[in-house]
Structure formats: C-alpha cells, structure tokens
Amino acid sequence: MAKKQNKKDISINQYQQGILALEELEWLLDSPRGRSLLSSLPKMIENLREINNYRGSVYVNRQNIRSLVGVLPEFFQNSNIFRTNADIEQFAREVLGVNIINFEKKSRTEIIGVIVCSVPNFEDSTFEVLGKYLSNIVDDEKKCSQVAKEKETTNFSWNDTISKLFK
C-alpha cells in the first residue's frame, strides 16, 4: 500500500529547486553587486518600515476623516441642540474653525455640506478626539439634553461644554 503523501513532505524536485535558489543567492551575495546590496540592506529595511508606518498612519487618518464626516450630519440634525442655522454656524466657527459666508442665506443642508466638505482640511489630531466626542454625544440622549440645556445659559461655550461632558 502506498504511503499517503503529507503536505509537509518536500518532493525531491522541490528540494533540488531550493538548493539551486540558495546557490544562486550565495553567488549573488558573494559578487561585488551582492556585497553592495548587503551593505545597503539595513537602510532598505528601515525605509520599508517607514513606508509601512506612513501607510498605517494614512489609513488611520482616513478612518478618522470618515468617522467625523459620518457623525457631523447626524449631530447637526439634532433640533434640540441646533434650533437655527446660526447655532450650526456658531459651532462650526468656534469648534471647527470653519467660517461660513452668508450662512443666513443658506439652507441647513448647504451649511452642513460646507462643514462636512471642510473636514479633510482639519489637523490630524482634531479628527480623532472630536469624532469620538461627537459620536458619544449623538449616541447618548442624556448628553444631548445636557448640551441643549447648556446652550440656554448666557455664557455658553462649545469648548467648555464638551470638556465638562468628558471629564
């Protein structure tokens, strides 16, 4: 009865191909070109790590952008917090640093669109923190009520209100 071949078993052909590949590698590394390659290998590895880290940070940044873009419209649609377009404009100006020209003449949807389209211009650190805070407010009815109540005070400040909510 023939022995069933295990996937881990290496055929003679594969073994010979592996030996040939190692011999070619040895020949390459022993040549002047190979020695040059070996001396630059640490720098190449460092560059690859930097590229990988950069790609990872771009991915995280993109995720933060998408998160903030996703939460802003829902946040602005809360009519208890944002009764008028002026309320949205105030938040955009004070918290996001977005000035909306002639907001009085724009619809609520247009104002929200201007703000959402400006998100890619924000600082990286703004995305993560602000996105988390706004998501928490949107998801928690108590926090929405607290914000609405705070807005009725005379010395209302968005930054102070958000700070109080997340101490």
Side-chain angles (χ1 to χ4, degrees), residues 18-38:
I19 289 175
L20 288 174
L22 287 173
E23 286 174 350
E24 286 180 35
L25 179 63
E26 179 185 20
W27 176 79
L28 174 67
L29 294 177
D30 199 32
S31 70
R33 184 175 170 210
R35 285 190 288 274
S36 170
L37 178 67
L38 273 178

Side-chain angles (χ1 to χ4, degrees), residues 4-115:
K4 191 174 183 180
Q5 188 174 2
N6 189 347
K7 289 183 181 180
K8 292 181 182 178
D9 291 343
I10 299 174
S11 71
I12 292 174
N13 188 28
Q14 290 171 322
Y15 181 73
Q16 288 173 339
Q17 286 177 346
I19 289 175
L20 288 174
L22 287 173
E23 286 174 350
E24 286 180 35
L25 179 63
E26 179 185 20
W27 176 79
L28 174 67
L29 294 177
D30 199 32
S31 70
R33 184 175 170 210
R35 285 190 288 274
S36 170
L37 178 67
L38 273 178
S39 66
S40 63
L41 196 58
K43 183 65 177 165
M44 289 180 353
I45 291 170
E46 182 182 327
N47 289 343
L48 286 172
R49 285 186 179 139
E50 287 176 13
I51 289 168
N52 193 35
N53 289 340
Y54 173 76
R55 285 177 41 203
S57 69
V58 167
Y59 175 77
V60 168
N61 186 25
R62 285 272 165 240
Q63 291 301 96
N64 291 335
I65 290 171
R66 289 183 186 113
S67 173
L68 191 55
V69 164
V71 76
L72 283 173
E74 186 177 357
F75 182 61
F76 291 136
Q77 292 296 333
N78 187 318
S79 59
N80 293 329
I81 297 173
F82 300 101
R83 293 188 178 140
T84 66
N85 289 352
D87 293 335
I88 296 173
E89 187 277 335
Q90 179 189 13
F91 179 88
R93 186 175 21 85
E94 289 180 9
V95 178
L96 304 175
V98 175
N99 292 316
I100 302 169
I101 300 168
N102 297 325
F103 73 90
E104 306 89 353
K105 298 178 182 179
K106 296 182 190 239
S107 71
R108 189 177 195 93
T109 306
E110 285 177 295
I111 293 170
I112 293 170
V114 168
I115 296 167

